[in-house]
Amino acid sequence: MPKKLLLLPPLSASSAFRVPRARPAPPPAMNAARTGYRVFSANSTAACTELAKRITERLGAELGKSVVYQETNGETRVEIKESVRGQDIFIIQTIPRDVNTAVMELLIMAYALKTACARNIIGVIPYFPYSKQSKMRKRGSIVCKLLASMLAKAGLTHIITMDLHQKEIQGFFSFPVDNLRASPFLLQYIQEEIPNYRNAVIVAKSPDAAKRAQSYAERLRLGLAVIHGEAQCTELDMDDGRHSPPMVKNATLHPGLELPLMMAKEKPPITVVGDVGGRIAIIVDDIIDDVESFVAAAEILKERGAYKIYVMATHGILSAEAPRLIEESSIDEVVVTNTVPHEVQKLQCPKIKTVDISLILSEAIRRIHNGESMAYLFRNITVDD
């Protein structure tokens, strides 16, 4: 019996060259796309949240919902009131007088966000605490290095700060650190708010601050003066780990071992290197805490003929009796940024003025979240700034 042949229908021109359909793409993996960012404040006091509110207003965002408070036994408790899974989280922490409480608030909030599966946790710490304890002192410790390790262990992946006391502190961290500068805002204040600033001279109250003062003087095309020999103990005069243990009288040395004797330092009489007579003196520094040295420098400048004296710094800590001492001194005005809350000090001393730096902090947050370059924020910034 003959086999039947199966006849297929002829192929049309369109079907002969038909492109096979592409397979549908698999569903995206969970949290693969950037879902957004949130900004939290880690402070438990209302006065310290002012900078966070200014930053979120510039970003057009709202502060994240959280509760930070101190229990009756003194312990810090942090509660996150919304989902942060897969998001970039920015923690704004300004440092009030109670430094240790602020550090614990930051650590606990960072760890809470880490356990809540946040994508990245970026600390915005305009004034980094313990930054003066970044060198070995006798049998002490480098506390700033310890704090950097604690922040990394708590879950932080990035830090935004401003005018570190020592730029080498960035090397203590195992993650990126953006050390922003407040000098553009302070320079703008000098140009816009100080009458006849062209007749001013930039002053360093000690040789240690000469590089910063030189940077201001070169940008403003002004003269430079340095106060040398003031009766204060600078960081370079303190004993560090290389002098430990300290020298002891009648110390027993190994027989035959005679080390050359180090001559003791002796400060020369107080002198002002540079002409300040008939000028406006502008003293610049990074931190104003105990103001005795600034008050003493102002008195010296008055004696040398300066007719108006300004003090400008990034961080206005203004501890203890600082407002009263400033009010009673020859200083005409103290200009600081709002990296540290100082509203109470301003009420005690009307000479204290504030420059807002929330603009650069909000722009840094926006650029980091969007993965943009930070180079724009460091235009014309040199190593000495």
Side-chain angles (χ1 to χ4, degrees):
M1 190 172 179
K3 295 181 179 180
K4 294 183 178 180
L5 298 177
L6 297 177
L7 299 178
L8 298 177
L11 295 176
S12 61
S14 60
S15 62
F17 301 96
R18 184 176 298 169
V19 179
R21 294 182 179 179
R23 292 182 180 180
M30 185 178 296
N31 297 333
R34 189 185 300 273
T35 57
Y37 72 96
R38 300 294 293 167
V39 180
F40 286 85
S41 175
N43 288 110
S44 58
T45 56
C48 296
T49 59
E50 182 63 29
L51 179 60
K53 292 178 180 177
R54 288 176 177 267
I55 292 174
T56 52
E57 287 177 1
R58 292 184 179 276
L59 291 170
E62 295 181 357
L63 273 177
K65 298 176 182 178
S66 64
V67 178
V68 183
Y69 62 95
Q70 312 299 320
E71 294 187 343
T72 54
N73 60 359
E75 293 182 356
T76 300
R77 183 175 290 273
V78 176
E79 298 177 3
I80 308 299
K81 297 295 186 179
E82 60 181 297
S83 174
V84 296
R85 183 179 295 272
Q87 297 193 33
D88 291 339
I89 305 300
F90 295 86
I91 307 175
I92 301 174
Q93 180 68 321
T94 52
I95 306 299
R97 292 189 176 184
D98 191 355
V99 178
N100 296 328
T101 299
V103 169
M104 285 305 302
E105 290 172 347
L106 177 60
L107 291 171
I108 295 173
M109 175 168 278
Y111 189 69
L113 293 166
K114 177 183 177 181
T115 55
C117 300
R119 178 189 179 95
N120 293 303
I121 304 174
I122 299 96
V124 183
I125 315 171
Y127 168 64
F128 194 81
Y130 290 98
S131 59
K132 286 189 174 182
Q133 299 190 45
S134 59
K135 297 179 181 179
M136 182 66 74
R137 305 293 185 209
K138 292 186 179 179
R139 297 180 181 88
S141 60
I142 305 177
V143 184
C144 194
K145 168 63 176 174
L146 172 64
L147 181 56
S149 301
M150 293 168 64
L151 292 173
K153 190 67 175 178
L156 263 68
T157 59
H158 197 143
I159 277 184
I160 303 171
T161 187
M162 180 165 284
D163 282 336
L164 287 170
H165 186 58
Q166 299 289 341
K167 298 178 183 65
E168 293 79 4
I169 292 174
Q170 298 175 78
F172 293 163
F173 294 87
S174 57
F175 49 77
V177 176
D178 286 313
N179 183 28
L180 303 177
R181 306 295 196 275
S183 52
F185 297 90
L186 297 176
L187 290 169
Q188 184 181 23
Y189 185 93
I190 293 174
Q191 293 173 317
E192 296 180 356
E193 302 297 333
I194 297 182
N196 195 23
Y197 82 92
R198 289 293 181 186
N199 190 36
V201 59
I202 305 298
V203 180
K205 69 179 181 67
S206 67
D208 298 339
K211 285 187 176 181
R212 183 183 301 271
Q214 181 182 358
S215 174
Y216 276 70
E218 291 175 352
R219 281 170 165 75
L220 294 170
R221 279 66 173 173
L222 300 177
L224 176 66
V226 179
I227 300 176
H228 181 51
E230 54 189 340
Q232 67 173 8
C233 185
T234 62
E235 289 189 353
L236 295 180
D237 296 328
M238 297 181 182
D239 293 334
D240 58 18
R242 293 170 297 179
H243 302 149
S244 177
M247 294 181 62
V248 181
K249 292 183 179 179
N250 300 325
T252 303
L253 297 178
H254 189 277
L257 179 63
E258 295 183 3
L259 298 177
L261 180 64
M262 175 65 72
M263 297 181 62
K265 289 184 179 181
E266 182 178 351
K267 287 183 176 288
I270 296 177
T271 57
V272 178
V273 181
D275 182 19
V276 297
R279 302 285 191 89
I280 301 172
I282 303 175
I283 305 174
V284 297
D285 212 333
D286 62 331
I287 300 175
I288 300 180
D289 191 357
D290 297 326
V291 299
E292 285 84 356
S293 60
F294 292 93
V295 172
E299 295 294 336
I300 296 169
L301 295 172
K302 277 288 186 182
E303 293 175 2
R304 299 298 193 276
Y307 70 90
K308 206 164 187 180
I309 299 171
Y310 291 81
V311 176
M312 311 197 75
T314 303
H315 310 295
I317 301 175
L318 304 172
S319 302
E321 298 295 320
R324 180 182 62 81
L325 294 175
I326 294 172
E327 187 66 25
E328 297 173 357
S329 70
S330 302
I331 299 173
D332 293 282
E333 196 169 283
V334 174
V335 183
V336 293
T337 70
N338 55 347
T339 56
V340 178
H342 51 265
E343 294 302 320
V344 175
Q345 291 90 328
K346 289 179 68 175
L347 294 175
Q348 298 172 350
C349 178
K351 292 182 179 180
I352 301 173
K353 307 297 180 183
T354 307
V355 175
D356 182 26
I357 45 82
S358 61
L359 174 63
I360 191 171
L361 293 175
S362 59
E363 180 63 15
I365 290 174
R366 189 192 68 80
R367 287 176 174 270
I368 289 176
H369 171 66
N370 293 332
E372 300 178 16
S373 172
M374 297 285 285
Y376 179 79
L377 304 182
F378 293 94
R379 291 174 304 166
N380 301 324
I381 298 295
T382 63
V383 177
D384 296 333
D385 289 331

